[in-house]
Amino acid sequence: MTLVSPSPAPQTSDAFEAYVRERLEVIESALAEAATGRMPFVTEAARHVIAAGGKRFRPLLVVLASALGTPRSEEDLTRAALVMELTHVASLYHDDVMDEADLRRGAPSANSVWDNTVAILVGDFLFARASDLVADLGVEFVQLQARTFARLVQGQIAETIGPAEGQDPVESYLGVIADKTGSLIAASTMFGGMIAGLDADQIRALDEYGEELGLVFQLSDDIIDVTSESTGKKPGTDLREGVSTLPTLLLGEYEDEESRELLAAIRSDLDDDEVLADVLGRLRAHPVIDRARQEVARRAEVARGHLVGLPEGVARDALSELCDTVVSRSA
């Protein structure tokens, strides 16, 4: 393969935005190609979640972090972004099986279109494709991806078995989402920095930034599940499935009668749409939502603080602005 000569990212806002957009378009095209199997059925199933769209948050982070320096090649930048997104998408296939989900990104989930076996095997196929691509990047990339995958699995196990006896439920939950969400987002920023040849301290800063941003990202989703009606899944899905999230965990710390009654209602059977709508309305009006938003905003500032030692310029500014963007999703 002939590598495209690397070039630094432009340093004006408009030009940098176009630079990022162009690379994300290349990555999007390559993503569909990477999800191609020998059999048409495998290709169809593997592209199912990809075709439903998505934020492509992890590829964006790879691109932005790589722009802190000069990517060693455009091909390797694309590979790094593909590895992160394929790993993420593969985990979604497995998550939907475990959660018995019907929807993913507003479309029927793979397990509901086909069955659990197909969804699991397709997830495995996408993990394999990510592993194939990462091998071309170098041993340090392979090691980081493997360690990230191990954290994803352990986070899922921890979520499945629940907090240990005597463990604080909020701290347990934060540990779960750090493994399930924060680890891959941190790996995305690290991949970008590694592609750009940043030094060890800068890579460590990106790791810390990405880990905290990942928590902010998931905690924002927790709030959105309660407050928004424009997401790809029905509002209150987590409540109905009995999934503990930041608002419901914080609600458990309130001792007034109204809060206790609301928590009891949340823990009851929410299969009836009217019952769920009533619980959602009460939870939306509860001060715990503002408290959860304050926690998200606080953690976003922690994430932003990790950027201080990184090279100044439009790329660092863009990473900083992402902190605001993730917080505003839950406002």
Side-chain angles (χ1 to χ4, degrees):
M1 179 187 297
T2 301
L3 299 181
V4 175
S5 299
S7 57
Q11 291 299 304
T12 62
S13 297
D14 289 347
F16 182 70
E17 183 178 342
Y19 167 90
V20 172
R21 186 168 54 249
E22 288 170 4
R23 273 142 194 82
L24 289 176
E25 288 172 355
V26 170
I27 292 163
E28 190 69 25
S29 297
L31 190 59
E33 181 62 29
T36 301
R38 290 202 312 269
M39 296 180 292
F41 176 80
V42 172
T43 301
E44 178 188 2
R47 290 180 178 177
H48 180 74
V49 171
I50 294 170
K55 306 174 189 69
R56 304 295 186 248
F57 191 62
R58 291 149 194 84
L60 172 63
L61 285 168
V62 174
V63 172
L64 293 180
S66 74
L68 291 166
T70 300
R72 64 194 196 189
S73 76
E74 300 298 337
E75 290 83 357
D76 279 352
L77 174 57
T78 299
R79 285 191 190 96
L82 288 177
V83 170
M84 291 293 99
E85 187 66 6
L86 287 170
T87 302
H88 170 58
V89 173
S91 73
L92 298 182
Y93 280 82
H94 289 181
D95 280 352
D96 286 345
V97 171
M98 297 193 68
D99 297 340
E100 299 180 347
D102 295 323
L103 291 176
R104 169 62 65 182
R105 297 174 176 172
S109 61
N111 51 297
S112 66
V113 173
W114 295 285
D115 57 32
N116 285 346
T117 300
V118 168
I120 290 170
L121 291 173
V122 169
D124 292 345
F125 169 74
L126 293 173
F127 276 127
R129 294 293 293 122
S131 297
D132 185 19
L133 288 165
V134 77
D136 289 329
L137 295 175
V139 173
E140 68 275 21
F141 290 87
V142 173
Q143 185 177 60
L144 177 54
Q145 196 238 5
R147 291 175 175 176
T148 301
F149 186 33
R151 286 190 64 188
L152 287 170
V153 173
Q154 291 178 92
Q156 185 64 65
I157 292 171
E159 181 180 62
T160 301
I161 65 176
E165 184 176 354
Q167 185 178 14
D168 178 71
V170 175
E171 288 305 312
S172 172
Y173 177 64
L174 292 175
V176 166
I177 64 174
D179 285 341
K180 287 190 61 178
T181 303
S183 64
L184 191 56
I185 288 178
S188 298
T189 58
M190 293 172 72
F191 261 38
M194 291 159 68
I195 288 293
L198 300 188
D199 65 36
D201 288 340
Q202 293 169 330
I203 298 297
R204 190 176 304 111
L206 285 170
D207 181 16
E208 293 168 344
Y209 162 82
E211 184 94 8
E212 197 68 42
L213 187 69
L215 290 176
V216 174
F217 189 87
Q218 182 57 55
L219 295 176
S220 293
D221 272 358
D222 290 354
I223 299 171
I224 290 169
D225 182 67
V226 174
T227 61
S228 176
E229 298 185 13
S230 59
T231 60
K233 63 180 183 179
K234 296 178 181 178
T237 296
D238 290 336
L239 291 181
R240 175 168 277 169
E241 294 175 352
V243 176
S244 294
T245 61
L246 183 64
T248 56
L249 289 169
L250 292 179
L251 183 63
E253 298 178 1
Y254 288 76
E255 298 182 354
D256 60 283
E257 183 177 354
E258 179 183 353
S259 298
R260 289 198 300 268
E261 289 178 353
L262 177 55
L263 188 59
I266 289 172
R267 291 171 173 170
S268 67
D269 186 349
L270 297 178
D271 284 343
D272 185 278
D273 287 343
E274 291 185 5
V275 174
L276 177 62
D278 175 68
V279 168
L280 276 173
R282 293 161 62 188
L283 185 55
R284 288 166 180 164
H286 195 282
V288 75
I289 298 300
D290 284 337
R291 184 179 166 193
R293 285 177 172 146
Q294 290 168 8
E295 176 62 10
V296 168
R298 182 189 72 79
R299 287 185 172 274
E301 289 307 310
V302 173
R304 198 193 315 272
H306 291 305
L307 298 173
V308 172
L310 294 172
E312 296 183 3
V314 289
R316 194 178 86 172
D317 291 345
L319 290 169
S320 179
E321 289 168 9
L322 271 185
C323 297
D324 299 320
T325 301
V326 175
V327 170
S328 66
R329 295 168 64 238
S330 63

